[in-house]
Amino acid sequence: MRENNKVVLNLELPAKKYPYPDLRIITQDLIKTFMSVSERWVQRIELIVDELINNAAEHGSAPEDYINIVFRITDDNLIKICVEDKGTGEKSDIDHIKNHIEKHRSLGTMDNLTNITVRGRGLAHIVTKWSDSWTIEKNKKGGITFESTINTNCIN
Amino acid sequence: MSSPLELIFEQVPCRTGHHVVLIKFIGQLDESNVDEQSKRVYAFIEDNPLETHYIFELAGLEYMNSKSIGYLTDWYRKIANKAGQTKMASAQENILDILDTVGLTSIIEHHPSVDAARISIIGVSDEQVA
């Protein structure tokens, strides 16, 4: 199916010490300029982006590497956020990430206090809950590509 | 480049004799600063005596990520291990949305004001004590 992209923004960010507040401002400006979304969802999408980048930086990238992020806003008001690492990090294993999400989703369902680690809530409790759909795949660079899609026709 | 964050530690006066302290978070908590700033909170918890109760005032907090939520949970555990209670107060709408989404408000009560959080800890208002 052909996808009609209204806007595509492709950024390459350093895995170590990428410009966190600047990326939030870019995300916010992009959404506010090209979409009609409530402030609540602008902030939710900012956090989805932040969590995906943090995950790619921490688990999928060596400090000297770069992470690729692509924002696609389609004519039918979907926003797709695609984050791609090169697999040079310590835990760049697709099964590990899938297991991590499943494990923390089930822990969260049972009792939030059973998740005793500082990490583990970003993908499992924020990205996958707030995305209408998400995919995780191996990419040609040897890393992992995580895509989150939000249908802004269905949110307020 | 680190995001701006100010942490303010204060005593909360209580006529009941309870030891209640306030930690105000002002700014943004994210990957750029949360590990460093959290050390100050851990040290503060460590330095306070047993049965110290904590109110995290979030009115000035504009942004937080999932790692910050992990630290909040860990501080809650440390405080509970020292027989203290933890409450959150005055969070902005976007922060409350995140806390609700990850289920943290079911563990740490959130109150609309610091005073309401304080009353929930000591059980009565200062006027009732007087």
Side-chain angles (χ1 to χ4, degrees), chain A residues 17-82:
Chain A
K17 297 190 176 177
Y18 72 87
Y20 311 87
D22 293 346
L23 183 63
R24 288 202 287 276
I25 291 167
I26 290 169
T27 306
Q28 203 173 100
D29 285 351
L30 185 73
I31 297 165
K32 285 182 176 175
T33 306
F34 294 103
M35 308 190 89
S36 177
V37 181
S38 66
E39 187 60 33
R40 178 181 181 222
W41 271 95
V42 171
Q43 289 170 340
R44 283 185 167 190
I45 294 168
E46 262 181 64
L47 185 55
I48 288 173
V49 171
D50 202 5
E51 297 297 341
L52 289 177
I53 295 277
N54 283 337
N55 187 68
E58 189 173 328
H59 302 301
S61 308
E64 66 277 10
D65 253 335
Y66 284 79
I67 296 160
N68 194 245
I69 177 164
V70 182
F71 296 87
R72 282 192 192 84
I73 297 175
T74 67
D75 285 338
D76 50 354
N77 300 318
L78 303 182
I79 179 163
K80 296 180 176 228
I81 302 144
C82 184

Side-chain angles (χ1 to χ4, degrees), chain A residues 24-146:
Chain A
R24 288 202 287 276
I25 291 167
I26 290 169
T27 306
Q28 203 173 100
D29 285 351
L30 185 73
I31 297 165
K32 285 182 176 175
T33 306
F34 294 103
M35 308 190 89
S36 177
V37 181
S38 66
E39 187 60 33
R40 178 181 181 222
W41 271 95
V42 171
Q43 289 170 340
R44 283 185 167 190
I45 294 168
E46 262 181 64
L47 185 55
I48 288 173
V49 171
D50 202 5
E51 297 297 341
L52 289 177
I53 295 277
N54 283 337
N55 187 68
E58 189 173 328
H59 302 301
S61 308
E64 66 277 10
D65 253 335
Y66 284 79
I67 296 160
N68 194 245
I69 177 164
V70 182
F71 296 87
R72 282 192 192 84
I73 297 175
T74 67
D75 285 338
D76 50 354
N77 300 318
L78 303 182
I79 179 163
K80 296 180 176 228
I81 302 144
C82 184
V83 174
E84 187 178 78
D85 62 57
K86 293 178 182 167
T88 50
E90 288 177 4
K91 293 181 189 166
S92 185
D93 178 312
I94 197 159
D95 293 328
H96 170 83
I97 295 178
K98 283 179 178 172
N99 289 338
H100 168 89
I101 292 172
E102 283 311 313
K103 178 184 154 197
H104 286 282
R105 278 174 75 93
S106 62
L107 283 177
T109 307
M110 288 181 331
D111 173 5
N112 225 310
L113 278 178
T114 54
N115 180 0
I116 58 167
T117 60
V118 168
R119 301 311 306 248
R121 294 167 182 82
L123 294 182
H125 294 289
I126 292 173
V127 176
T128 59
K129 270 190 185 173
W130 287 347
S131 301
D132 286 300
S133 62
W134 55 274
T135 58
I136 179 166
E137 291 171 352
K138 286 183 182 171
N139 61 42
K140 289 175 185 169
K141 295 174 184 170
I144 287 166
T145 300
F146 200 117

Side-chain angles (χ1 to χ4, degrees), chain B residues 1-72:
Chain B
M1 184 174 66
S2 293
S3 296
L5 183 84
E6 190 180 356
L7 286 179
I8 298 172
F9 302 90
E10 287 177 3
Q11 300 288 326
V12 179
C14 284
R15 290 179 185 170
T16 55
H18 288 80
H19 187 216
V20 182
V21 294
L22 184 70
I23 306 180
K24 289 185 184 179
F25 294 78
I26 302 166
Q28 302 174 12
L29 263 177
D30 64 18
E31 197 65 29
S32 70
N33 60 13
V34 68
D35 291 328
E36 203 53 40
Q37 295 286 354
S38 69
K39 290 177 190 168
R40 296 179 60 203
V41 178
Y42 280 118
F44 185 65
I45 295 169
E46 189 64 38
D47 289 347
N48 274 307
L50 291 174
E51 293 185 35
T52 299
H53 309 296
Y54 292 75
I55 301 171
F56 296 146
E57 199 211 275
L58 308 177
L61 188 64
E62 298 157 2
Y63 181 84
M64 73 189 304
N65 67 356
S66 65
K67 195 176 192 177
S68 320
I69 290 161
Y71 277 118
L72 276 178

